Amino acid sequence: GAGVSQSPRYKVAKRGQDVALRCDPISGHVSLFWYQQALGQGPEFLTYFQNEAQLDKSGLPSDRFFAERPEGSVSTLKIQRTQQEDSAVYLCASGGGRTQETQYFGPGTRLLVL
Amino acid sequence: AQSVTQPDIHITVSEGASLELRCNYSYGATPYLFWYVQSPGQGLQLLLKYFSGDTLVQGIKGFEAEFKRSQSSFNLRKPSVHWSDAAEYFCAVGAGASKIIFGSGTRLSIRP
């Protein structure tokens, strides 16, 4: 079956521009995660949804970052007034909903802020 | 706080040679431990995971890892590497019900 998909795969933004990154999880997956991966680093947790409820947003670096999953399926990560330090790969993962179940990752969106 | 340390940034091994990638974690309770692999342009793929039970865990692609509580380690091993194993490898620890904390990764290169 289809895996996790993300769009766009690449995004170039001018500093100060707003961006929206989309994640389509595996059909039926309850859990959805967003991670940020800076160059040469491991992924860092941003936020977690169970269905439409955002249960953990402790990793969002500032109030410019906002995530939503209004119908418990597709999720959007929005970054307002982008800064150069936001340049990174943004990874989405989905899972079955049990504690520490396997997370299936998408290919990521590479964001470059100029 | 939970953390993961991968002390080797980059390792090069010859094709057919054995491999061991080191991972140390910090966690107060019995940890959930993972190894993921990331190839260029690809998403992260789970190689194996440890939740409980047998401390030697078998994974995909011929990889295995051993959980050693006394050393707070979860090293990844493969008896004979293939050129296709060249990638970035991440060790990770589960923190709470859902969050995963990743190490900074070890890049594996294969010498022909």
Side-chain angles (χ1 to χ4, degrees), chain A residues 23-39:
Chain A
C23 173
D24 286 80
I26 293 172
S27 178
H29 272 189
V30 170
S31 303
L32 187 144
F33 307 82
W34 284 99
Y35 293 84
Q36 180 189 59
Q37 186 175 19
L39 190 64

Side-chain angles (χ1 to χ4, degrees), chain B residues 2 14 29 32 40 42-43 58 60 79 84 94 104:
Chain B
Q2 303 94 343
S14 297
Y32 294 87
Q42 304 289 318
Q58 302 298 320
I60 63 171
S84 60
S104 55

Side-chain angles (χ1 to χ4, degrees), chain B residues 5-14 16-24 35 47 55-56 62-68 71 73-81 85 89 91 105-110:
Chain B
T5 301
Q6 294 181 251
D8 302 308
I9 296 174
H10 183 206
I11 284 181
T12 300
V13 299
S14 297
S18 63
L19 170 72
E20 182 169 25
L21 301 182
R22 295 183 292 165
C23 172
N24 292 95
W35 274 99
L47 286 175
T55 57
L56 185 62
F63 286 93
E64 66 178 26
E66 186 171 12
F67 170 58
K68 293 185 177 180
Q71 298 176 21
S73 69
F74 189 58
N75 293 350
L76 181 71
R77 301 193 294 248
K78 186 170 184 178
S80 176
V81 298
D85 293 325
Y89 290 80
C91 181
T106 297
R107 183 161 63 94
L108 175 64
S109 297
I110 306 297

